[in-house]
Amino acid sequence: MILSHPSTMLRSVFILIGCVLISGCEFSDSSTNPSPPPIVGGDALRSAAVQLNWFPESEHGGLYQAAADGTFQSHGLDVEIRPGGRQSPVAPELVLGRVQFAMANADDVVLFRNQGADIVAVLATMQNHPRCILVREDSGVKKFEDLAGKTLQRQGGRAFLEFMRSKGLLDQVKEVPYHGSVSSLVTDKNVAIQAYSFAEPLLAEQQGVKVRKLMLSDIGWNPYSSVLITTGDMVRNQPELVQDFVDATREGWQHYLDDPALGNEAILKANQHGMTIEALRFGHQELKTLALPDGMSPESLGEMTDARWQTLVSQMVELGLVDGDKVHATDCFTPQFTKKVSDTFLVE
């Protein structure tokens, strides 16, 4: 839970987590069809469900690609991808056992663990975070310090805002709610908005406005993004299933970054909220640089390091967002499924 300026989404998430952790009650998932698993090549596929943290977009492309091109099946998996939305119950779905996997950002994992949820990251799609502050090119804003005197539309309770605030970058900025539209930025050059680099810039430019992205990663806020997460229980007790799911997801992402046609077609069918092929193609190009920066090889896609997690946890402790006695970087993730086991440690 964010200790200052908590968002409604996180409050509701942690209320549900608390219910599970305190009561120990078991819940049934009424959305799950109890029909027998499908048979492929004489063997029954193992069922698994993954909860998205947002409506299906290019940031979920690897999952949809793996489902569309048969990669999940080739790893013996029958996978249900559950679309998210504005208040996706990612942590509760995992804690309740209604899904085996989910998508989140690395800072979400730190917050979940701060609340006592045994959630572990097993693969990070994006090495660099897509979070940016979007401004018009004619706004005169070329760096974060130039935001002084401007209006920033943002969603309160986000960790990146506390990071900016700690650097004095919001001292002279008027903060107002962000409602998911670029319209104010389009009509007023003195308005900036929070954004993801693979989404909102295209929407603004489609309305004839040239924009500039101020990337939070450039000033030191760079949690892994589009992280595949599961529970510590899954890691300890079903490592073979976790390994197969990670391998299939990784291959799906490699295929999607190489040719996103099948994945994009599947996303368009799953997203009924105005998604377009133009947006998916734009997102795909942006994601290639975020997932494989600085010449990183496709074979290394998804890998995570202790140093990156240590930095993130330290930042969030310093910002007062989490308790350093409760959250430790080595508990937030395990690299055992994206590297050779001999080169890694295992979650105890």
Side-chain angles (χ1 to χ4, degrees), residues 127-310:
Q127 296 293 311
N128 288 334
H129 203 288
R131 174 65 69 196
C132 65
I133 302 299
L134 195 66
V135 299
R136 287 173 42 159
E137 281 194 359
D138 61 0
S139 66
V141 178
K142 296 183 178 181
K143 56 185 184 298
F144 283 91
E145 290 78 4
D146 297 335
L147 289 170
K150 305 296 184 183
T151 296
L152 173 63
Q153 291 190 342
R154 85 294 178 266
Q155 292 175 310
R158 299 304 178 95
F160 78 90
L161 292 171
E162 298 305 320
F163 180 79
M164 291 180 65
R165 196 165 285 117
S166 73
K167 301 294 183 182
L169 298 174
L170 297 178
D171 288 352
Q172 301 178 53
V173 176
K174 180 181 179 182
E175 298 182 51
V176 299
Y178 175 63
H179 300 293
S181 171
V182 301
S183 59
S184 295
L185 175 116
V186 169
T187 58
D188 188 345
K189 67 179 181 181
N190 291 312
V191 170
I193 64 171
Q194 69 174 53
Y196 268 8
S197 62
F198 56 75
E200 285 85 357
L202 175 66
L203 297 177
E205 291 180 356
Q206 285 178 332
Q207 297 186 47
V209 174
K210 293 185 177 180
V211 293
R212 179 177 293 114
K213 298 174 292 188
L214 304 180
M215 302 300 299
L216 268 294
S217 59
D218 289 341
I219 60 171
W221 180 256
N222 196 23
Y224 291 114
S225 185
S226 288
V227 176
L228 181 67
I229 59 177
T230 188
T231 61
D233 182 72
M234 286 286 296
V235 170
R236 289 183 291 269
N237 299 320
Q238 298 190 61
E240 297 85 1
L241 176 59
V242 177
Q243 185 68 72
D244 286 336
F245 198 94
V246 169
D247 289 344
T249 301
R250 195 178 200 176
E251 288 179 28
W253 272 109
Q254 290 166 344
H255 298 164
Y256 183 77
L257 293 178
D258 183 57
D259 182 356
L262 289 177
N264 284 347
E265 181 180 352
I267 292 172
L268 285 174
K269 291 180 180 179
N271 190 337
Q272 305 300 315
H273 297 272
M275 179 53 59
T276 66
I277 189 62
E278 292 79 14
L280 290 173
R281 287 170 179 165
F282 179 84
H284 169 259
Q285 290 302 311
E286 287 289 320
L287 281 168
K288 291 174 71 173
T289 63
L290 296 169
L292 299 172
D294 305 320
M296 183 176 174
S297 70
E299 291 72 24
S300 298
L301 188 146
E303 292 182 359
M304 299 173 287
T305 68
D306 183 66
R308 285 282 297 277
W309 279 97
Q310 292 282 4

Side-chain angles (χ1 to χ4, degrees), residues 88-157:
S88 300
V90 171
E93 290 298 281
L94 281 171
V95 172
L96 295 171
R98 293 179 177 175
V99 298
Q100 292 72 46
F101 303 93
M103 300 299 296
N105 290 322
D107 49 318
D108 296 322
V109 175
V110 177
L111 292 168
F112 295 153
R113 293 199 66 87
N114 190 62
Q115 288 298 310
D118 186 16
I119 290 176
V120 182
V122 291
L123 176 145
T125 302
M126 293 185 232
Q127 296 293 311
N128 288 334
H129 203 288
R131 174 65 69 196
C132 65
I133 302 299
L134 195 66
V135 299
R136 287 173 42 159
E137 281 194 359
D138 61 0
S139 66
V141 178
K142 296 183 178 181
K143 56 185 184 298
F144 283 91
E145 290 78 4
D146 297 335
L147 289 170
K150 305 296 184 183
T151 296
L152 173 63
Q153 291 190 342
R154 85 294 178 266
Q155 292 175 310

Side-chain angles (χ1 to χ4, degrees), residues 290-342:
L290 296 169
L292 299 172
D294 305 320
M296 183 176 174
S297 70
E299 291 72 24
S300 298
L301 188 146
E303 292 182 359
M304 299 173 287
T305 68
D306 183 66
R308 285 282 297 277
W309 279 97
Q310 292 282 4
T311 295
L312 175 62
V313 172
S314 295
Q315 288 175 327
M316 295 183 72
V317 169
E318 291 173 4
L319 293 172
L321 301 177
V322 299
D323 185 343
D325 292 330
K326 290 184 178 180
V327 184
H328 305 282
T330 52
D331 296 329
C332 293
F333 86 111
T334 175
Q336 73 187 70
F337 302 107
T338 52
K339 291 184 177 180
K340 294 179 181 178
V341 173
S342 60

